[in-house]
Amino acid sequence: MMPKIVVTRVLPDEVILELSEKARVEVHADPLPPSREALLDLVRDADGIISLLTDRIDREMLDAAPKLRVVSNYAVGVDNVDVAEATRRRIAVTNTPDVLTESTADLAFALALAAARRLVEAEKFARRGAFQGWHPLLFLGHDVFGKTLGVVGLGRIGKAVARRGALGFGMRVLYAQPRRDEAFERDVPCARVGLDVLLRESDVVSLHVPLTPATRHLIGESELRSMKKTSVLVNTSRGPVIDEASLVRALEERWIFAAGLDVFEREPEIPEVLRQRPDVVILPHIGSATIETRTRMARMAAENALAVLGGRRPPSIVNPEVL
Ligand code: DGY
């Protein structure tokens, strides 16, 4: 009998069709995520799940799915999956890196520019008909070109952002991460520094670390206080990397100039106080949201699931020790 794959949200038709040739596919077709109960029920006889970052795949979910062999996450981040527990049960956990790198880096840069140049505020002003003529002091922001960019986490997306900054915007690029990457430094002019130096010296700080116990609230009150008053903080990684309550204070008390956020601490909740502030550009977690990228991600998630179920090595596996 063909294996059963549960898909927790609608994917492009062509991908579902591809999956259906090799598996029995059950799709949760609702635009909203399945409730916890619905998901527990869906996975009961599944051999594979194509999950989203909004689906918590923890011990209870794995208990509910005794036949499960693969959790194929439709995301590069896997903080929604208990990878250690899946590994213990010899369940493969796969993800979709590379295919979303450039789209996410583009969005990080868009947020940096939007926040530094006050684009959203200015656009709303023009749209409501308030523009009465050129004024020397209208919506003054800060330059991005030629400034210092601090990249926290020099993984694939961090590197793509660093490349844009150094080569496209003439920026001095600093990066913070455990190990120096000399090969990358030869390719793109940049320097590794401690997080404290990066925060003190950067005009744009962009976060690109995965969410782990070590990175939760990596940016809190003392980090925000150490940043330049003219600086912009950009987050396209995971919301809990920033202590949101401290960020609100940092903006209210002007420790920093602005923030550009694609992710939030308690998604999908975005605190009212942030939504009201003109110095925060807020987006609904759309870092990888281009037609091209989402299609590539869906294909890769499907390939990952089918490969594991077919006894082949998947294109990207987080816990290869289970193979
Ligand atoms: C990811 O892949 O982890 C993003 O947050 C969604 O594309």
Side-chain angles (χ1 to χ4, degrees):
M1 183 153 66
M2 290 207 289
K4 175 172 170 182
I5 298 180
V6 164
V7 184
T8 69
R9 217 69 44 79
V10 175
L11 298 181
D13 284 348
E14 67 201 74
V15 176
I16 298 292
L17 217 69
E18 234 171 87
L19 280 171
S20 313
E21 282 166 15
K22 306 207 173 81
R24 289 173 294 133
V25 180
E26 188 168 344
V27 181
H28 172 80
D30 203 274
L32 289 176
S35 66
R36 181 80 182 160
E37 291 65 38
L39 193 56
L40 282 166
D41 195 46
L42 262 176
V43 300
R44 224 156 278 289
D45 56 346
D47 300 279
I49 314 177
I50 296 188
S51 53
L52 267 59
L53 54 92
T54 43
D55 304 319
R56 192 156 40 86
I57 311 293
D58 54 8
R59 187 185 291 255
E60 185 192 20
M61 191 62 65
L62 298 175
D63 280 343
K67 290 171 62 192
L68 199 66
R69 283 189 284 147
V70 57
V71 176
S72 168
N73 220 35
Y74 178 68
V76 64
V78 288
D79 46 283
N80 59 309
V81 182
D82 185 339
V83 178
E85 186 56 30
T87 307
R88 212 178 54 73
R89 298 172 189 226
R90 307 206 64 75
I91 297 170
V93 179
T94 64
N95 65 344
T96 61
D98 298 315
V99 293
L100 49 66
T101 297
E102 302 302 339
S103 313
T104 309
D106 279 350
L107 194 91
F109 238 91
L111 280 171
L113 289 167
R117 297 298 305 273
R118 305 174 59 186
L119 293 194
V120 175
E121 248 185 297
E123 199 267 354
K124 281 187 182 154
F125 169 89
R127 191 181 286 272
R128 69 168 183 268
F131 183 40
Q132 292 184 340
W134 191 86
H135 189 288
L137 302 181
L138 193 60
F139 290 108
L140 299 189
H142 288 284
D143 281 330
V144 171
F145 187 92
K147 293 291 191 76
T148 298
L149 168 66
V151 175
V152 181
L154 196 74
R156 300 173 187 86
I157 300 171
K159 283 179 178 165
V161 169
R163 183 171 282 114
R164 281 162 177 70
L167 307 181
F169 283 78
M171 298 176 89
R172 167 186 177 231
V173 177
L174 304 176
Y175 69 93
Q177 72 149 19
R179 267 193 216 98
R180 190 169 167 203
D181 190 331
E182 293 180 33
F184 185 70
E185 287 175 20
R186 278 193 293 277
D187 195 23
V188 171
C190 60
R192 175 173 169 261
V193 293
L195 182 62
D196 53 340
V197 175
L198 181 148
L199 294 171
R200 227 176 24 241
E201 296 191 9
S202 298
D203 300 292
V204 174
V205 173
S206 194
L207 306 178
H208 301 287
V209 289
L211 177 62
T212 66
T215 61
R216 183 174 293 273
H217 286 191
L218 181 69
I219 305 298
E221 172 168 346
S222 64
E223 290 74 22
L224 288 157
R225 279 189 189 277
S226 73
M227 289 173 65
K228 292 184 182 178
K229 288 200 180 337
T230 51
S231 67
V232 163
L233 176 64
V234 172
N235 193 8
T236 52
S237 63
R238 285 293 183 266
V241 173
I242 299 179
D243 171 9
E244 228 162 55
S246 297
L247 175 63
V248 169
R249 272 194 71 198
L251 292 163
E252 281 173 351
E253 297 177 15
R254 305 215 177 282
W255 308 342
I256 65 173
F257 180 70
L261 306 175
D262 186 40
V263 288
F264 301 89
E265 197 167 346
R266 278 168 285 275
E267 261 176 60
E269 180 199 322
I270 304 175
E272 171 76 14
V273 54
L274 277 181
R275 285 192 278 125
Q276 294 305 331
R277 294 201 64 83
D279 50 3
V280 192
V281 179
I282 55 176
L283 299 177
H285 203 150
I286 57 165
S288 61
T290 68
I291 294 168
E292 297 88 338
T293 291
R294 288 286 164 82
T295 306
R296 286 195 292 262
M297 287 168 67
R299 279 214 191 98
M300 189 168 184
E303 259 172 63
N304 279 334
L306 290 174
V308 173
L309 296 177
R312 287 172 284 116
R313 194 181 178 87
S316 178
I317 180 156
V318 177
N319 55 352
E321 60 271 38
V322 304
L323 292 180

